[in-house]
């Protein structure tokens, strides 16, 4: 067996990058399970690889070991996530690793699932398998951040996405036709939609823009992108484009006071309507965002992309349900006091109380740039 200090670390990083690349092939196909890629290496050669999809059932490790066959004995297994050690929809992957005779496991990170969380590594070490962790940890954590949030809290990870001018405006007060951001940025938005389980907006956005809010990448999905609308009184018009093609992909949250006859007709047309209590803490005229997210969690939605207007953005920030932001800035300036800001409402009244965005990353899309950052530790349980 190769000793750790004799292994080319640059080569190991390449094999782990391959595992991460394989894991990404499970985007929109693995949820609500994590994204996992596996690579088996023997004598410097890749002899087996695999990635997880929910419908495929077999985990990445098992697929890679099956491809490796006898070559797996004495080999190294590279994984972006700790192998499971509990019985779920499949048998524990740790058993398969031991049965295959793997000598060494290199994994990027612990599984945030409380049912695993270090126990898989412990089982392997107790059986004499060399285990190393931490290689490519940061990209591995980002890859499975929505799974981490969901499995530890039962809530989906919420990303507030918006396109803005340089002075922080999302809409002009008069003629608002045209796009703020470039075609390159809009193409990235479609990739973001593809990577999410649900997209959330408000009724005012539906009335103003008549959006479809669909995943138009053409890439395969295990289940449709769930389109979710916060519509207190069911004001959505029958001619709205969102209602023209409903295929178990539209959910509307309303208040108990909403018209029951319209609710029944919507349900007859295939629209799911969920009645929620009012948001007693922030706005009694609006369904509770916290309850909405709990319901989405019960439906095994692990990630939600918030594409809304100024009012709902502020409501979500005020309610403390936003986990991260992804803000696209175009090189334009609107100015004025009546152009809509990212988040309206009264806002936060003291600078010391401003919401802190952490772990900032910058991205470039054509002439635009985007700011990605976090409002909370998504690996926590708050």
């Amino acid at each position: 067996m190769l000793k750790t200090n004799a292994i080319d670390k640059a080569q190991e990083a390449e094999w782990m990058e391959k595992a991460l690349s394989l894991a990404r092939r499970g985007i929109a196909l693995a949820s609500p399970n994590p994204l996992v890629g596996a690579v088996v290496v023997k004598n410097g050669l890749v002899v087996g690889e695999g990635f997880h999809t929910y419908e495929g059932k077999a985990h990445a490790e098992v697929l890679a070991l099956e491809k490796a066959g006898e070559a797996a004995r004495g080999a190294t297994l590279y994984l972006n996530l700790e192998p499971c050690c509990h019985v779920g929809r499949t048998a524990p992957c740790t058993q398969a690793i031991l049965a295959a005779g793997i000598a060494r496991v290199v994994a990027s990170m612990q599984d945030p699932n409380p049912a695993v969380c270090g126990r898989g590594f412990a089982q392997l070490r107790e059986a004499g398998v060399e285990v190393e962790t931490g290689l490519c940890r940061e990209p591995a954590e980002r890859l499975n951040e929505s799974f981490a949030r969901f499995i530890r809290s039962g809530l989906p990870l919420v990303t507030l996405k918006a396109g803005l001018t340089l002075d922080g405006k999302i809409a002009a007060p008069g003629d608002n036709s045209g796009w703020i951001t470039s075609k390159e940025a809009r193409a990235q938005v479609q990739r973001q939609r593809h990577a999410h389980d649900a997209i959330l907006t408000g009724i005012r956005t539906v009335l103003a823009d008549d959006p479809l809010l669909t995943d138009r990448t053409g890439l395969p999905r295990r289940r449709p992108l769930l389109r979710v609308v916060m519509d207190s009184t069911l004001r959505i018009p029958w001619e709205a484009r969102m209602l023209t093609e409903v295929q178990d992909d539209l959910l509307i949250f309303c208040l108990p006071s909403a018209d029951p006859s319209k609710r029944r007709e919507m349900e007859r047309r295939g629209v799911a309507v969920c009645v929620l209590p009012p948001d007693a803490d922030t706005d009694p005229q609006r369904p509770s965002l916290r309850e909405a997210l709990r319901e989405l969690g019960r439906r095994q939605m692990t990630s939600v992309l918030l594409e809304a207007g100024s009012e709902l953005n502020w409501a979500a920030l005020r309610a403390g349900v936003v986990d991260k932001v992804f803000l696209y800035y175009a090189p334009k300036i609107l100015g004025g006091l009546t152009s809509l800001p990212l988040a309206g409402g009264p806002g936060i009244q003291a600078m010391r109380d401003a919401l802190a965005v952490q772990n900032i990353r910058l991205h470039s899309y054509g002439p635009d740039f985007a700011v990605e950052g976090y409002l909370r530790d998504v690996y926590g349980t708050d």
Side-chain angles (χ1 to χ4, degrees), residues 84-359:
C84 67
C85 58
H86 65 296
V87 177
R89 298 173 70 236
T90 64
C93 288
T94 49
Q95 289 184 6
I97 292 169
L98 294 175
I102 288 289
R104 180 168 172 261
V105 169
V106 180
S108 297
M109 58 178 285
Q110 273 191 354
D111 191 331
N113 185 348
V116 184
C117 202
R119 295 182 180 89
F121 292 149
Q123 281 189 11
L124 295 175
R125 288 187 175 110
E126 288 170 5
V129 176
E130 182 182 355
V131 176
E132 292 186 26
T133 64
L135 184 61
C136 300
R137 181 189 302 276
E138 182 179 350
E141 288 183 342
R142 288 181 179 273
L143 185 62
N144 274 309
E145 61 189 16
S146 60
F147 171 75
R149 178 66 173 155
F150 174 74
I151 202 67
R152 294 172 69 89
S153 69
L155 298 171
L157 182 138
V158 178
T159 299
L160 191 163
K161 189 277 312 178
L164 304 94
T165 60
L166 287 179
D167 54 339
K169 308 296 186 177
I170 64 171
D175 182 1
N176 203 43
S177 59
W179 298 96
I180 293 178
T181 53
S182 64
K183 62 180 181 180
E184 292 89 348
R186 298 197 300 275
Q188 173 60 21
V189 169
Q190 289 299 320
R191 290 189 286 270
Q192 277 186 297
R193 288 184 181 181
H194 179 69
H196 282 75
D197 292 335
I199 184 168
L200 174 64
T201 196
I203 183 58
R204 293 196 177 189
T205 296
V206 174
L207 294 174
D209 301 336
D210 195 18
L212 279 173
L213 295 185
T214 52
D215 172 4
R216 295 190 283 278
T217 61
L219 298 172
R221 302 184 65 96
R222 184 179 77 84
R223 50 188 178 178
L225 175 67
L226 182 65
R227 300 174 295 166
V228 184
V229 181
M230 304 296 291
D231 185 2
S232 302
T233 59
L234 294 182
R235 286 191 292 157
I236 187 169
W238 292 118
E239 62 272 18
R241 291 202 298 165
M242 296 184 73
L243 295 178
T244 57
E245 295 183 13
V246 180
Q247 299 176 341
D248 296 323
D249 64 344
L250 182 57
L251 170 63
I252 296 180
F253 288 118
C254 67
L255 290 172
S257 57
D259 183 353
S261 62
K262 188 169 184 179
R263 176 188 173 190
R264 287 192 296 270
E265 178 59 19
M266 282 189 172
E267 291 173 337
R268 189 188 70 79
R269 298 188 185 195
V271 179
V273 181
C274 183
V275 177
L276 292 179
D279 191 337
D281 294 330
T282 57
D283 186 352
Q285 303 303 312
R286 182 190 301 277
S288 169
L289 277 168
R290 289 187 176 275
E291 288 302 320
L293 292 171
R294 289 190 183 99
E295 176 60 27
L296 291 175
R298 285 190 286 270
R299 293 171 184 247
Q300 293 195 314
M301 299 289 115
T302 67
S303 56
V304 173
L305 189 63
L306 177 60
E307 284 196 35
S310 185
E311 183 178 326
L312 186 54
N313 286 344
W314 166 246
L317 290 167
R318 179 176 55 177
V321 300
V322 177
D323 298 296
K324 66 181 291 187
V325 296
F326 206 106
L327 307 177
Y328 295 84
Y329 286 89
K332 302 174 182 178
I333 294 174
L334 273 175
L337 297 177
T338 54
S339 297
L340 289 180
L342 168 67
I348 294 171
Q349 301 301 302
M351 185 60 71
R352 63 178 176 275
D353 298 325
L355 299 175
V357 182
Q358 302 175 336
N359 300 323

